[in-house]
Amino acid sequence: MKLKSVWFHIGFWIIYTATFTIVEASYKGKYTEALTFELINLPMRLIVVYFNYFILLPRLLLQGKTVKYFGITFLTLIVAGFIQRIFNYYTLSFLNPGLPDNGIWIFYKFLQASVIIASPLIFIIGISAIWKVSELQKRAKNLENEKLQSELKYLKSQINPHFLFNTLNNIYGLSLDNSKKVPGLILKLSDFLSFSLYESNQKFIPLTKEIALINDFIELEKSRFEDRVEVNFSVSEEIGSVDVPPLIFIPFVENAFKHSLKNETGVARIDISLKKEGQDLLFNIRNSKPNTPVEETVKHGIGLENIKRRLNIIFEEGYELKITDEESQYGVLLKIYLRS
């Protein structure tokens, strides 16, 4: 038993004994007599309570053997009440020879002794049960939080390897042509990977960092597709200081590039906007759809299920995600209810 628990039990018995002494003495005003009676009953109470607490409770009740637990507890109280009644009779007769003698075999006296022993048992087992349930709930919550945090780390670590592979291939191709773009693209890719590996471990980051990441991503993708794609990314000035989960918008941007350019013979268009509307943060992205139909629908794009799961874990009901799939364009509207 932990020291904290020991002090709890000591405190319980002091308060319990004092309370019942005062209650009993209030009828006759005999505090010494009431305290003597409580102390006479105390040893049997301790035996029954801690037999139940250390043996019956963990071995029966907490193991789901409820009927057996209550059956043995009831039998224990009957036996203890019988012993206590006999002990009380001879002890009180010895201490107070002048008391009227109505005999030892009085049924309600045996019942009274059992109830006197049962009262602290009900209190302490009830408190202990609530305590243990609270600890189990706390442990379950901690385990759930650990599970969610592990899942979040896993989900955030899922950077699309195709993006990395294609970007490196593109930089390699540009380097063969001695392109002046190579140093800048390598720096942007380095920043992107550094962010993904380190800063993404945080639960929330400043929106400005996420915007910089999106810009780097767009530049890296535009370096691959050049004049095949037109991107417009606008951020409203009134956004101010806002925190968001890291890598929360990138999967949508990645999907927009993938699905607007796949099988596209003309110029694809992607429009992205970030703005505040009251206390809400609105991220809106729309991309054109290729003239040639794509067999795989954008609804099964990269990271979409990943991002939905992350949003559910972090925000629960604090967001809205609306996806529109029209004939000529595909859109995503993500509304996040900002924390106060």
Side-chain angles (χ1 to χ4, degrees):
M1 189 184 292
K2 296 179 180 179
L3 183 61
K4 183 179 179 181
S5 182
V6 170
W7 281 112
F8 163 77
H9 285 271
I10 292 173
F12 170 81
W13 286 110
I14 292 173
I15 294 171
Y16 182 89
T17 302
T19 301
F20 276 79
T21 298
I22 293 170
V23 170
E24 290 173 24
S26 63
Y27 292 103
K28 299 179 181 179
K30 299 180 179 180
Y31 288 94
T32 302
E33 184 179 307
L35 179 59
T36 301
F37 182 77
E38 286 299 315
L39 292 176
I40 289 172
N41 284 275
L42 184 60
M44 186 58 71
R45 286 172 172 171
L46 292 171
I47 292 170
V48 172
V49 166
Y50 290 108
F51 169 72
N52 198 294
Y53 185 84
F54 288 111
I55 297 176
L56 299 185
L57 184 67
R59 295 185 182 182
L60 297 179
L61 187 60
L62 296 181
Q63 299 299 322
K65 301 174 183 178
T66 309
V67 175
K68 192 173 182 180
Y69 167 79
F70 282 107
I72 296 177
T73 298
F74 180 75
L75 182 62
T76 302
L77 289 172
I78 295 298
V79 173
F82 178 80
I83 296 171
Q84 186 68 53
R85 165 56 186 162
I86 295 174
F87 182 77
N88 286 354
Y89 178 80
Y90 288 109
T91 302
L92 293 174
S93 296
F94 175 77
L95 294 175
N96 299 282
L99 285 176
D101 187 0
N102 296 321
I104 191 171
W105 304 105
I106 302 175
F107 174 76
Y108 81 87
K109 290 288 186 179
F110 285 99
L111 182 61
Q112 183 186 54
S114 296
V115 171
I116 287 171
I117 296 168
S119 59
L121 177 65
I122 294 170
F123 276 111
I124 206 161
I125 297 301
I127 293 170
S128 299
I130 294 171
W131 196 341
K132 287 184 182 295
V133 168
S134 177
E135 285 183 345
L136 288 172
Q137 289 178 339
K138 185 177 179 180
R139 190 181 305 170
K141 187 175 181 179
N142 288 337
L143 288 173
E144 180 65 18
N145 286 337
E146 288 176 9
K147 179 184 174 184
L148 291 178
Q149 289 303 317
S150 297
E151 187 174 353
L152 276 173
K153 288 180 181 178
Y154 170 72
L155 292 173
K156 286 190 287 189
S157 70
Q158 291 182 317
I159 304 171
N160 182 12
H162 296 291
F163 162 74
L164 184 59
F165 176 77
N166 290 331
T167 302
L168 287 172
N169 269 346
N170 182 58
I171 293 174
Y172 172 73
L174 291 172
S175 69
L176 294 178
D177 297 331
N178 295 318
S179 174
K180 294 180 180 181
K181 294 181 180 179
V182 171
L185 293 176
I186 291 176
L187 182 60
K188 289 184 182 299
L189 181 60
S190 174
D191 290 341
F192 187 88
L193 292 177
S194 175
F195 181 97
S196 301
L197 291 172
Y198 301 110
E199 296 200 52
S200 64
N201 289 329
Q202 302 176 52
K203 188 174 181 180
F204 288 91
I205 61 168
L207 180 58
T208 52
K209 291 187 177 182
E210 187 77 4
I211 291 170
L213 186 72
I214 294 173
N215 280 318
D216 286 346
F217 184 89
I218 291 172
E219 289 302 314
L220 289 168
E221 288 290 73
K222 285 174 70 175
S223 72
R224 291 172 53 198
F225 301 107
E226 296 182 341
D227 57 355
R228 289 185 55 203
V229 60
E230 181 182 338
V231 183
N232 177 38
F233 181 27
S234 63
V235 179
S236 64
E237 295 180 357
E238 69 272 10
I239 280 184
S241 178
V242 175
D243 291 336
V244 295
L247 300 173
I248 203 73
F249 303 125
I250 288 295
F252 298 120
V253 181
E254 189 175 0
N255 280 340
F257 274 96
K258 176 187 174 183
H259 296 295
S260 63
L261 287 158
K262 189 173 183 180
N263 291 2
E264 178 61 76
T265 56
V267 177
R269 180 177 176 84
I270 300 172
D271 294 306
I272 310 169
S273 69
L274 262 171
K275 64 179 181 179
K276 273 185 73 176
E277 190 175 89
Q279 290 300 311
D280 303 331
L281 178 66
L282 271 64
F283 173 79
N284 192 11
I285 181 167
R286 307 185 74 82
N287 63 268
S288 60
K289 296 174 71 173
N291 296 325
T292 306
V294 181
E295 291 183 4
E296 179 189 9
T297 65
V298 291
K299 291 181 181 179
H300 297 89
I302 299 168
L304 187 53
E305 292 305 318
N306 175 319
I307 208 70
K308 285 181 180 178
R309 178 60 181 154
R310 283 186 63 203
L311 289 167
N312 286 332
I313 292 173
I314 297 171
F315 294 109
E316 295 181 351
E317 302 296 325
Y319 80 97
E320 291 180 30
L321 181 62
K322 183 179 179 181
I323 298 174
T324 56
D325 189 0
E326 301 171 356
E327 184 178 353
S328 59
Q329 66 177 359
Y330 180 81
V332 173
L333 175 62
L334 173 60
K335 180 186 290 188
I336 297 175
Y337 310 142
L338 299 177
R339 300 173 299 169
S340 56

